[in-house]
Amino acid sequence: MIFGAIGSVIMIIILIAFGYLAAQFGWVSKGTPKFITKLIINITLPCTILYSFLNSFTADGLLSSGKFILAAFAGAFLAYLAGKAAARLAKIERRRRGVFTALFSFSNSVFIGFPVAMAIFGEEGMIFAIFYFLANTVSFNTLGYMEIAGDGAYIRSREAPGEPTGIAAEGGLYGDEKASFPQAETARSILKRVLQPPLFAIGGAIVLVLLGVRLPTFINATLSYAGGITSPLSLMFVGMILHRVGFKTLKFEKGLPLVMVGRFLIAPLIMLGLSFLLLRSDPFASQVFIVQMALPCMVTAVIYAEATGADSGYATRGMVLSTLLSFIILPVLVVLFGGI
């Protein structure tokens, strides 16, 4: 089981390396970053969400799993509150506070969470991993996205109107493209950014599941094929960003050690406390949820940071460092919950 869990992390590192090498060899054109972010957010991620929900849940299963879904949502929300509190207590720079909160609060429940759940708990544990995926995905695509978009709005408000910021300010991801943004965003404009295709996909999927709708085989297959590229494409995009920021910047700068504490200690402890309150009669479900809360940062945080003009370099460093640290954390989780 240890090798299965570690293998999941190695796979992620290899895919990130593919993106890094593509950039190193000069295969990434000036329009590539913008294309990838739009493709993932508007097409492949919604397909992933729809396919996962429609093929993992039934109406009866969804309605009869209230306490599990409640525990998962409560864990994600309390981790979010802990992340916001940690950002203020640690006096994280305002321009990075939203990215910090998203990195601290939400785990990589798809790219690492599903393989780890299978490696440690087997098929029986996958249903609880999917419940956590539901809560984590909804929370990240609302609260997490709003936090990251808030960073982008703050950065732009500190610059001249129309002047690009972040990666765009430096000429794009590879120094050869321009971008411009409005000076500031209102609550209404941030809400408009939050109401993106992934959130509509979640809402639509829940409605379809509750109505018992079964999609035609060819549509289901289309969702599977289109959604199947989300994980590798996102990870290769992280590699491109890593090439942009450089390995020399891959260090535990201010806030990132606290992100690691949040991901690997505070978040699972939050779920442990909730388990005593909500899941005393279901220790197996509790174990799955605790492991899902103790995973590296969301890869999608890097995508959203790039798309909204937030600090995507900071998001990349947090995501990559937490993934590397999971080489140590995952074997510990296997020993604690699955045995060797």
Side-chain angles (χ1 to χ4, degrees):
M1 279 190 266
I2 288 179
F3 293 112
I6 293 296
S8 301
V9 181
I10 294 175
M11 175 191 68
I12 287 172
I13 298 299
I14 291 173
L15 288 170
I16 291 174
F18 286 163
Y20 185 94
L21 291 173
Q24 181 69 31
F25 294 150
W27 299 341
V28 179
S29 67
K30 66 178 183 179
T32 300
K34 184 177 181 180
F35 168 73
I36 291 178
T37 55
K38 286 186 176 295
L39 180 65
I40 291 174
I41 292 173
N42 295 308
I43 298 178
T44 71
L45 184 57
C47 287
T48 299
I49 291 169
L50 283 167
Y51 181 81
S52 297
F53 277 43
L54 294 174
N55 290 276
S56 302
F57 294 107
T58 63
D60 290 341
L62 204 58
L63 293 172
S64 65
S65 303
K67 68 176 180 179
F68 301 118
I69 296 174
L70 175 62
F73 270 98
F77 183 66
L78 290 176
Y80 166 72
L81 293 181
K84 284 189 70 69
R88 291 188 174 275
L89 290 173
K91 298 182 179 178
I92 302 300
E93 295 175 78
R94 177 60 190 85
R95 68 187 184 90
R96 290 176 167 175
R97 196 173 293 167
V99 170
F100 171 92
T101 301
L103 293 174
F104 184 106
S105 307
F106 304 108
S107 70
N108 196 336
S109 60
V110 177
F111 305 149
I112 297 182
F114 285 175
V116 167
M118 178 65 72
I120 298 178
F121 302 105
E123 290 285 353
E124 189 180 354
M126 281 302 297
I127 186 63
F128 300 109
I130 291 170
F131 286 148
Y132 180 75
F133 160 77
L134 167 63
N136 191 63
T137 301
V138 171
S139 300
F140 177 78
N141 282 286
T142 51
L143 300 172
Y145 187 94
M146 205 154 34
E147 290 290 336
I148 295 171
D151 278 5
Y154 177 83
I155 291 171
R156 293 191 291 278
S157 72
R158 292 298 182 267
E159 308 228 353
E163 183 176 341
T165 61
I167 284 179
E170 299 174 23
L173 189 60
Y174 293 99
D176 53 6
E177 64 178 323
K178 302 293 183 181
S180 62
F181 299 100
Q183 183 177 13
E185 289 185 88
T186 63
R188 181 179 178 181
S189 63
I190 291 178
L191 181 62
K192 185 178 179 180
R193 286 181 178 272
V194 171
L195 297 177
Q196 294 288 319
L199 184 60
F200 288 117
I202 292 170
I206 292 173
V207 170
L208 291 174
V209 169
L210 292 177
L211 292 177
V213 174
R214 296 184 65 85
L215 298 178
T217 301
F218 73 93
I219 294 181
N220 205 45
T222 301
L223 293 175
S224 176
Y225 281 122
I229 70 173
T230 300
S231 298
L233 192 60
S234 297
L235 291 166
M236 286 188 280
F237 179 81
V238 170
M240 296 174 194
I241 295 287
L242 183 58
H243 181 270
R244 166 64 177 76
V245 301
F247 272 106
K248 291 183 179 179
T249 67
L250 198 60
K251 57 186 179 182
F252 285 104
E253 58 189 297
K254 183 176 180 179
L256 292 184
L258 187 55
V259 166
M260 305 303 131
V261 173
R263 281 285 76 244
F264 298 120
L265 181 62
I266 295 176
L269 286 177
I270 287 172
M271 183 53 71
L272 179 62
L274 286 171
S275 296
F276 283 112
L277 294 175
L278 302 174
L279 303 174
R280 283 189 178 184
S281 60
D282 297 279
F284 182 77
S286 299
Q287 291 178 9
V288 178
F289 283 148
I290 290 169
V291 169
Q292 292 296 301
M293 292 277 281
L295 295 174
C297 306
M298 285 278 282
V299 173
T300 318
V302 181
I303 304 292
Y304 281 168
E306 171 71 7
T308 60
D311 193 337
S312 56
Y314 188 73
T316 297
R317 289 188 282 276
M319 182 268 157
V320 173
L321 288 169
S322 68
T323 301
L324 293 174
L325 190 57
S326 67
F327 275 106
I328 299 173
I329 302 300
L330 286 178
V332 173
L333 295 176
V334 172
V335 172
L336 287 176
F337 297 108
I340 300 177

